[in-house]
């Protein structure tokens, strides 16, 4: 619809997606909706808050895996620094753990990317009215999966060990004793039902716990 035929007050959307082609396609498709205007596009998670403070979007549409800062971390930042902006997570990775973390971070919705743009546009309108919009299949999976079994410190230790760092390296990075690091790694391995820390890391990421 031509721009001058839009409603007097369009829904202002910030779009965060690291793949340029996908970002451009989403912006184009959403821009064809008569009541939606994409006012900002960013390709990195650490650019989200600054863009939101400048452009004042009504809804931030965020991917999860972004360079610089994840969409889940950015959602929590927006809740603190731009509380008037509703957050809708749109991701390829429909993992129950991600859904729980998104809700904990204050997101108002969580959708996977394989749905039609009409569904996405409808979700944008709905979260703006105060609704919570979640992919039904993912919501059911999250309920059956249960909460994240890893503590915050166990997650930190697994992440710090992701590049093959030694226990001593991880201890130095996190300012912990080596025995504490070993205990956290052992706990994480046990909770993920794996045999070593690299398997534990892969399983935790697969479940969306990290």
């Amino acid at each position: 619809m031509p721009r001058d035929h839009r409603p007097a007050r369009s829904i202002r959307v910030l779009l965060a997606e690291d793949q340029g082609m996908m970002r451009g396609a989403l912006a184009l498709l959403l821009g064809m909706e008569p009541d939606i205007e994409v006012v900002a596009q960013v390709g990195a998670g650490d650019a989200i808050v600054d863009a939101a403070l400048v452009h004042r979007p009504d809804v931030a549409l965020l991917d999860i895996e972004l360079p610089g800062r994840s969409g889940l971390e950015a959602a929590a930042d927006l809740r603190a620094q731009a509380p008037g902006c509703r957050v809708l997570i749109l991701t390829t990775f429909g993992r129950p753990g991600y859904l729980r973390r998104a809700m904990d971070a204050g997101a108002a919705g969580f959708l996977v990317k394989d749905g039609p743009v009409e569904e996405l546009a409808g979700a944008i309108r709905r979260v703006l009215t105060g609704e919570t919009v979640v992919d039904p299949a993912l919501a059911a999976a999250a309920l059956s999966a249960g909460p994240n079994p890893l503590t915050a410190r166990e997650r930190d230790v697994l992440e710090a060990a992701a590049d093959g760092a030694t226990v001593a390296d991880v201890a130095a990075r996190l300012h912990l004793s080596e025995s504490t690091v070993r205990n956290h790694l052992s706990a994480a391995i046990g909770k993920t039902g794996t045999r070593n820390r690299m398997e534990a890391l892969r399983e935790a990421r697969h479940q969306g716990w990290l």
Side-chain angles (χ1 to χ4, degrees):
M1 182 175 291
R3 188 61 163 250
D4 57 353
H5 288 172
R6 288 178 177 273
R9 177 68 170 89
S10 294
I11 301 171
R12 297 169 60 82
V13 173
L14 180 153
L15 178 58
E17 163 64 55
D18 63 327
Q19 297 182 24
M21 187 176 294
M22 173 67 76
R23 185 170 66 247
L26 279 173
L28 180 63
L29 290 170
L30 288 174
M32 296 174 68
E33 296 293 318
D35 57 343
I36 294 175
E37 179 183 8
V38 178
V39 296
Q41 301 179 46
V42 300
D46 48 12
I48 291 172
V49 171
D50 287 345
L53 294 176
V54 170
H55 297 281
R56 298 293 177 181
D58 302 305
V59 177
L61 188 61
L62 311 182
D63 193 3
I64 290 180
E65 296 195 353
L66 295 166
R69 196 159 179 77
S70 77
L72 298 177
E73 292 171 317
D77 295 339
L78 287 173
R79 179 172 59 178
Q81 300 184 51
C85 178
R86 301 280 281 172
V87 172
L88 180 58
I89 299 292
L90 180 67
T91 182
T92 304
F93 305 100
R95 298 169 182 166
Y98 278 163
L99 173 57
R100 288 183 175 275
R101 290 172 60 198
M103 297 299 105
D104 289 344
F110 194 111
L111 296 175
V112 291
K113 289 179 180 177
D114 59 359
V117 70
E118 293 82 8
E119 179 180 312
L120 176 58
I124 289 172
R125 298 181 185 105
R126 290 168 61 192
V127 299
L128 194 58
T129 67
E131 287 188 53
T132 298
V133 181
V134 177
D135 179 89
L138 185 58
L143 287 174
S144 63
N148 186 342
L150 301 176
T151 67
R153 185 54 84 183
E154 288 162 2
R155 295 195 298 270
D156 290 343
V157 168
L158 276 180
E159 291 277 25
D163 60 357
T166 65
V167 168
D169 291 336
V170 173
R173 290 176 186 175
L174 300 180
H175 307 290
L176 299 172
S177 70
E178 292 185 26
S179 62
T180 298
V181 169
R182 289 191 185 93
N183 288 340
H184 286 313
L185 286 173
S186 178
I189 291 167
K191 290 177 180 179
T192 54
T194 54
R195 297 172 297 180
N196 56 57
R197 63 181 182 175
M198 297 312 295
E199 287 186 4
L201 179 67
R202 285 194 294 271
E203 179 63 16
R205 284 179 171 169
H206 175 72
Q207 295 293 340
W209 295 334
L210 295 180

